[in-house]
Amino acid sequence: MAGGGGGGGGRPRAVFMAFGTRGDVFPVAALATAFARDQQQYAVVFITHSAHRSLSAHLAASNVRYMPVSSPPVLAAEQVENISGGSQSNHEDESFSSRKMIIQMEHRKECLSSVEAVFGDDPSINGDFVVINFFALEGWHLAELFQVKCIIAAPYFVPYSAPSSFQRQFKHNFPLLYKYFQEAPANTVCWTDIIHWMWALFTESWGSWRSNCLNLSPIPFTDPVTNLPLWHVREESPLLLYGFSKEIVECPGYWPSSAHACGFWFLPTAWQFSCDKCMELSRNMNSSLGSVLCAKHSSMERFLVGNSYSSRPVFVGLSSIVTESSEAAASSLSDDSALLFNGRLFCFSGSIPYSWLFPRCAAAIHHAGSGSTAAALLAGTPQVVCPSLLDQFYWAERLHWLGVAPEPLQRQHLIPDSDDASSIHNAAEVLHGAIKSALLPEIKAQATRISDRLSFEDGIGEALRILKERVLIQDQT
């Protein structure tokens, strides 16, 4: 392949592939740019949804090639089931299933085309590798196809767990393969890896794609002719880099030894501005707490630090559970900000670094996404959380257990099921009580203690160090 981002010319190649929402993708992109700056001999590419095209300029600034695929960052099937509550008709279910299958087939076709553009023209060389997040399992199979190492990088926990019947059914359907994993030598792929996250590689949805499109065996780690385990091949347990802190998350001993909690992966400050002028100002600032807002957005800073109220404001941001009506209201604003309720409510529809915003707030009310959670923890800001999907429930319970947030709210406490006066009043009472609890001195003191501990960590730097130690040095000697 010609130069300019894909590879060729003997340069080692690194493919970072991440799918999902902004919170799933952007931290992995931050890791990719850090790697590209540190290892300039590499040709680095980043494959993600075209919906995340705002990343392209940031990636280009670090000489990372952006390769978009057209699939939307759709919700996972289990999320759709949670939202629909099983209320869809059979016809709607069939229509959704058919549409999802078409999107999935096209998505995998584009993934293959993208990775083939990087590795297809030249044989793999020492140092080539693929990094994927948990929503980009296509990359695992493609790494096998092009015979390069695959690393997993995730700013969150495994967003799914194996069905309770998985081990029993796997042992029944693949007794020799089960024995293969159970008897694995140290540091090679074993049953611990399978049950932690790799079980999803053995679902039927991958088999036909592997055999029909990739010419691989339908079942990973088996011979394509005999369907028997590859007894003579023992692959190293895949490196798993987690973008969260051991100060916050307990990492139990039954996790694979190749899993590393690196510390939270915070985005570069410039990536977090929706305003180009604010972004440019931030690049020229030495302090993250200095004035980084342009003249157009200076009203936000005046609201935060120059209002006449005795207490600091409370932040409210619910990106994962915002309703269509509130989105429509935001889009109807003539500007991206508005001051309402006699100057007591400042509405802002853009984005701004939480590292700048949260230290100026008395508390942060949010959906318990991993990015919002980490930013508030680092800022030492008490939190009120209302989880809605997947790992948000874990973070919400964890924040309460750590003592930096009251008991998590339920969805109807922030978005009442009914708009009658009684429902709204009851929800407001619950929210008011949660805010009062979050502002207690003991919660603020605990938030400050945790912030102090997190301030010594460098999650991106640690992930980069492990990546170089476990992949580059090993492959290039």
Side-chain angles (χ1 to χ4, degrees):
M1 179 173 179
R11 296 181 68 192
R13 295 153 291 190
V15 173
F16 289 77
M17 179 184 291
F19 299 123
T21 64
R22 178 187 174 97
D24 303 320
V25 170
F26 277 52
V28 183
L31 178 60
T33 57
F35 177 83
R37 291 192 302 271
D38 188 76
Q39 300 290 316
Q40 296 185 20
Q41 77 276 20
Y42 265 81
V44 184
V45 303
F46 191 79
I47 302 173
T48 191
H49 308 287
S50 57
H52 298 314
R53 65 177 58 87
S54 63
L55 275 174
S56 59
H58 302 309
L59 294 169
S62 296
N63 201 29
V64 177
R65 180 184 175 189
Y66 168 62
M67 300 182 73
V69 297
S70 61
S71 60
V74 293
L75 294 174
E78 54 268 33
Q79 296 183 33
V80 174
E81 291 170 2
N82 285 337
I83 293 172
S84 66
S87 61
Q88 288 180 304
S89 67
N90 290 337
H91 177 72
E92 289 172 330
D93 286 340
E94 292 174 4
S95 176
F96 173 78
S97 179
S98 299
R99 174 167 169 74
K100 182 180 177 183
M101 185 173 296
I102 292 171
I103 292 174
Q104 182 184 80
M105 290 173 61
E106 184 60 29
H107 173 76
R108 292 178 179 178
K109 181 180 178 181
E110 291 187 45
C111 288
L112 172 58
S113 178
S114 296
V115 175
E116 195 170 37
V118 178
F119 294 120
D121 291 346
D122 300 311
S124 61
I125 61 174
N126 285 339
D128 287 350
F129 64 90
V130 173
V131 176
I132 63 172
N133 71 353
F134 285 126
F135 290 124
L137 294 183
E138 292 84 2
W140 174 270
H141 306 287
L142 293 170
E144 179 182 344
L145 175 65
F146 291 101
Q147 300 181 350
V148 297
K149 185 183 294 290
C150 188
I151 297 106
I152 294 78
Y156 44 70
F157 290 105
V158 181
Y160 39 65
S161 57
S164 58
S165 61
F166 173 76
Q167 183 167 358
R168 175 177 53 81
Q169 291 181 349
F170 191 97
K171 186 176 181 180
H172 177 266
N173 295 334
F174 311 110
L176 291 179
L177 195 57
Y178 182 75
K179 177 181 174 67
Y180 172 86
F181 292 128
Q182 289 286 357
E183 298 178 353
N187 301 320
T188 63
V189 177
C190 65
W191 188 252
T192 301
D193 296 293
I194 304 301
I195 209 66
H196 185 69
W197 74 270
M198 295 181 75
W199 68 270
L201 299 173
F202 293 87
T203 61
E204 293 181 4
S205 65
W206 297 111
S208 60
W209 184 59
R210 283 176 58 91
S211 58
N212 297 336
C213 300
L214 306 185
N215 293 318
L216 298 173
S217 61
I219 305 298
F221 303 98
T222 62
D223 185 276
V225 177
T226 65
N227 293 323
L228 295 175
L230 299 173
W231 296 103
H232 59 290
V233 177
R234 289 289 185 176
E235 293 189 19
E236 183 182 11
S237 179
L239 180 60
L240 173 51
L241 302 175
Y242 275 129
F244 48 70
S245 171
K246 288 182 285 189
E247 293 285 347
I248 306 302
V249 177
E250 292 179 325
C251 303
Y254 57 78
W255 278 14
S257 60
S258 56
H260 300 268
C262 305
F264 290 110
W265 297 344
F266 295 106
L267 304 183
T269 300
W271 292 24
Q272 301 174 59
F273 287 99
S274 55
C275 171
D276 292 339
K277 290 183 178 179
C278 290
M279 184 190 306
E280 191 59 35
L281 279 174
S282 75
R283 290 197 175 105
N284 300 323
M285 290 299 303
N286 293 323
S287 170
S288 62
L289 293 180
S291 177
V292 297
L293 302 185
C294 70
K296 178 183 176 182
H297 294 110
S298 59
S299 58
M300 178 185 294
E301 189 164 13
R302 289 195 299 272
F303 177 81
L304 290 166
V305 300
N307 63 63
S308 60
Y309 301 103
S310 58
S311 61
R312 290 181 295 167
V314 172
F315 165 86
V316 182
L318 305 169
S319 60
S320 286
I321 56 174
V322 67
T323 61
E324 292 181 3
S325 58
S326 60
E327 285 178 330
S331 64
S332 67
L333 294 174
S334 58
D335 203 348
D336 60 6
S337 62
L339 201 57
L340 307 175
F341 293 102
N342 296 321
R344 298 180 62 190
L345 176 64
F346 187 92
C347 297
F348 181 61
S349 62
S351 60
I352 196 166
Y354 287 166
S355 59
W356 180 89
L357 180 60
F358 283 174
R360 292 171 164 81
C361 296
I365 302 173
H366 60 89
H367 59 292
S370 58
S372 303
T373 295
L377 286 169
L378 183 62
T381 305
Q383 304 177 57
V384 175
V385 288
C386 181
S388 178
L389 300 169
L390 297 174
D391 62 337
Q392 294 170 11
F393 292 97
Y394 170 83
W395 292 117
E397 293 294 340
R398 190 66 183 163
L399 292 173
H400 180 48
W401 188 89
L402 289 168
V404 299
E407 187 174 345
L409 299 177
Q410 298 179 17
R411 180 187 173 95
Q412 65 267 25
H413 294 146
L414 283 178
I415 305 178
D417 296 329
S418 174
D419 60 359
D420 64 273
S422 176
S423 297
I424 293 175
H425 175 77
N426 292 338
E429 285 293 308
V430 173
L431 179 58
H432 179 251
I435 294 173
K436 285 182 63 177
S437 296
L439 296 179
L440 292 173
E442 55 266 32
I443 285 189
K444 176 58 180 175
Q446 176 66 353
T448 300
R449 282 191 289 270
I450 289 177
S451 172
D452 291 341
R453 296 203 295 267
L454 294 181
S455 66
F456 292 99
E457 296 185 344
D458 175 12
I460 292 285
E462 178 65 5
L464 189 59
R465 183 193 67 79
I466 296 172
L467 191 60
K468 292 193 294 183
E469 179 183 286
R470 292 286 302 275
V471 179
L472 306 192
I473 295 176
Q474 173 180 304
D475 280 351
Q476 293 178 356
T477 56

